[in-house]
């Protein structure tokens, strides 16, 4: 009998046909995220689960799945999964790092460019028929990137690629990490290691590239925003919960900082009437860090490979925990 696999969202056609050859699959097609009670009832008997970052794969959910062998997430982030609980129950967890590094760094850089040059804001003005109000010599001006300081919080895979992009635009690059990278790496990327305090106070724009953990939860809050320059921006393509969103809205409204470029939110999808949506000096993307044709199909390939290995009782190609 074919093993059963549940997907909380559909995947590419090639991926589905591959899955169908091996498994009996069921795909949730309703509004995201799948309600928790539905998710629990759907995975009760399955051997494999394919999930996405907006799904909550918590302890209760994992424990409701009696035959589950593998959770294969279509993402590099895995803070939506209780990895410890999966490990205790000998359930494999697979994820998709590496393939989305360039795409995510590119998105972070495009948010930076957009904020500095006010592209989305101008788009909104034009669509409202307001071009005539932005024709002055010094109104509606952006900022040069050249010579400005980019602070990279977390110089991992994505942070390093972002540094390469910023170097090409002649930005000064500082970074803060748990561990300083090698001198030769610093030299090739043209980056300088600084303390967290210096990163916060010296950057003209801070881009977040650390994972969401207990330690990074609400790492950026009003206390931090108050120490930043009031001309500086925040970019987040990592996880929404690293920023205290309520504080961010207040900091931007009160001009404590200049604005933000966000791809991730405390709750996703962000609601249409969220206070962030009303702010002009904010660029909002719908969690599309990895969303290019090429990257997304590579992620699907890895998601399936991870799933297959886990169902066979083997370690996924990219594995966390057990
Ligand atoms: C991931 O894969 O975790 C990213 O957030 C997707 O953009």
């Amino acid at each position: 009998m074919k093993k059963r696999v549940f997907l909380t969202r559909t995947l590419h056609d090639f991926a589905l046909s591959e899955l169908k050859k091996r498994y009996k699959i069921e795909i949730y097609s309703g509004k995201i995220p799948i309600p928790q009670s539905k998710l629990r009832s759907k995975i009760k008997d399955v051997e494999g689960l394919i999930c996405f970052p907006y799904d909550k794969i918590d302890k209760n959910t994992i424990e409701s799945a009696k035959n589950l062998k593998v959770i294969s997430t279509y993402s590099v982030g895995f803070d939506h999964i209780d990895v410890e609980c999966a490990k205790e129950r000998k359930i494999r967890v697979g994820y998709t790092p590496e393939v989305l590094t360039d795409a995510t760094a590119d998105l972070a850089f495009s948010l930076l460019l957009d904020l500095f040059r006010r592209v989305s804001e101008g788009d909104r003005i034009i669509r409202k028929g307001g071009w005539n109000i932005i024709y002055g010599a010094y109104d509606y001006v952006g900022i040069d990137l050249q010579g400005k300081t980019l602070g990279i919080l977390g110089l991992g895979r994505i942070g390093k690629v972002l540094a390469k992009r910023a170097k090409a635009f002649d930005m000064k690059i500082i970074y803060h990490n748990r561990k300083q990278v090698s001198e030769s790496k610093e030299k090739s990327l043209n980056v300088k290691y600084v303390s967290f305090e210096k990163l916060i106070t010296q950057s003209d724009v801070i881009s977040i590239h650390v994972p969401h953990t207990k330690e990074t939860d609400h790492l950026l809050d009003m206390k931090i925003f108050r120490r930043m320059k009031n001309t500086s921006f925040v970019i987040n393509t990592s996880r929404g919960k690293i920023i205290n969103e309520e504080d961010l809205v207040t900091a931007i409204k009160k001009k404590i900082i200049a604005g933000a470029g966000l791809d991730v939110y405390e709750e996703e999808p962000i609601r249409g009437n969220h206070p962030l949506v009303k702010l002009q000096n904010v660029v909002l993307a719908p969690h599309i860090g990895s969303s290019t044709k090429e990257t997304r199909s590579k992620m699907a390939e890895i998601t399936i490979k991870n799933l297959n290995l886990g169902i066979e009782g083997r370690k996924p190609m990219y594995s966390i925990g057990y």
Side-chain angles (χ1 to χ4, degrees):
M1 211 174 71
K2 277 185 171 174
K3 301 236 160 65
R4 285 145 301 182
V5 171
F6 183 70
L7 292 85
T8 62
R9 201 83 199 148
T10 196
L11 283 180
H12 305 68
D13 286 348
F14 81 85
L16 294 184
S17 50
E18 221 176 285
L19 286 172
K20 281 180 192 158
K21 274 188 227 153
R22 292 182 182 228
Y23 312 111
K24 186 167 180 307
I25 68 168
E26 190 181 353
I27 308 167
Y28 173 72
S29 58
K31 257 182 28 195
I32 59 160
I34 181 169
Q36 221 52 32
S37 56
K38 184 164 231 145
L39 176 60
R40 285 180 200 150
S41 83
K42 292 289 179 194
I43 64 171
K44 215 160 49 104
D45 300 314
V46 302
E47 279 83 8
L49 168 64
I50 293 183
C51 63
F52 291 72
Y54 39 73
D55 299 317
K56 199 160 141 209
I57 316 297
D58 57 9
K59 189 167 187 287
N60 287 341
T61 306
I62 293 174
E63 286 178 348
S64 67
K66 304 292 172 230
N67 298 322
L68 197 60
K69 292 206 157 38
V70 58
I71 300 165
S72 181
T73 185
Y74 186 83
S75 61
V76 62
F78 48 82
D79 60 322
H80 54 298
I81 302 171
D82 187 334
V83 177
E84 266 317 299
C85 172
K87 193 171 164 186
E88 274 163 29
R89 299 178 65 88
K90 296 206 176 338
I91 295 170
R92 304 278 192 190
V93 179
Y95 71 133
T96 64
E98 292 181 1
V99 288
L100 45 65
T101 302
D102 282 314
T104 309
D106 287 348
L107 187 83
F109 200 71
S110 50
L111 291 173
L112 189 160
L113 268 172
D114 196 332
L115 283 169
F116 274 49
R117 302 304 308 272
R118 303 172 69 173
V119 182
S120 297
E121 196 184 337
D123 179 276
R124 288 191 294 269
I125 292 172
I126 289 178
R127 284 171 202 269
K128 281 197 198 138
W131 191 341
N132 51 343
I133 65 161
I134 57 169
Y135 240 141
Y138 50 77
D139 58 24
Y140 197 74
V141 290
I143 309 164
D144 282 338
L145 277 75
Q146 294 73 31
K148 296 293 184 311
T149 301
L150 164 66
I152 301 180
L153 185 56
L155 197 75
R157 294 187 192 101
I158 298 171
K160 284 182 187 131
V161 175
L162 178 67
K164 276 206 261 174
R165 306 293 187 260
K167 186 180 169 193
F169 278 74
D170 298 325
M171 296 188 81
K172 286 187 198 146
I173 311 159
I174 56 178
Y175 76 98
H176 181 73
N177 237 11
R178 268 184 307 190
K179 219 172 131 217
Q180 186 168 358
V181 303
S182 68
E183 214 177 299
S184 63
K185 195 81 215 160
E186 286 187 344
K187 215 164 157 195
S188 73
L189 292 172
N190 203 25
V191 297
K192 186 172 162 233
Y193 179 79
V194 293
S195 64
F196 181 67
E197 175 65 21
K198 283 202 172 134
L199 186 106
I200 296 303
T201 52
Q202 293 181 356
S203 300
D204 295 302
V205 51
I206 294 170
S207 192
I208 301 174
H209 300 285
V210 290
H212 176 237
T213 61
K214 268 190 226 132
E215 291 72 38
T216 62
D217 189 76
H218 281 189
L219 181 64
L220 266 63
D221 60 5
M222 191 54 86
K223 237 174 46 220
I224 302 294
F225 296 137
R226 286 198 191 284
R227 303 218 304 267
M228 288 169 61
K229 298 181 191 175
N230 60 8
T231 49
S232 66
F233 298 94
V234 174
I235 290 169
N236 192 5
T237 51
S238 178
R239 282 295 178 263
K241 292 188 173 119
I242 297 170
I243 296 182
N244 180 326
E245 241 165 45
E246 209 184 314
D247 286 0
L248 178 68
V249 170
T250 310
I252 295 172
K253 274 192 186 159
K254 293 194 170 167
K255 299 193 187 327
I256 293 167
I257 65 167
L262 306 172
D263 186 42
V264 288
Y265 308 88
E266 289 206 49
E267 252 179 58
E268 295 180 13
I270 185 172
R271 31 174 238 277
N273 63 353
H274 191 286
L276 278 169
V277 175
K278 299 189 184 105
L279 299 175
Q280 284 312 314
N281 33 357
V282 165
V283 180
L284 305 173
H287 202 150
I288 50 168
S290 64
S291 188
T292 67
K293 216 161 101 186
E294 298 85 348
T295 296
R296 284 279 168 98
S297 89
K298 284 184 210 148
M299 286 169 73
E301 274 173 39
I302 293 173
T303 302
I304 293 180
K305 280 188 187 146
N306 285 340
L307 179 96
N308 290 342
L309 288 165
I311 288 189
E312 286 165 15
R314 293 159 66 195
K315 220 176 174 57
M317 195 175 155
Y318 296 101
S319 165
I320 324 141
Y322 168 63

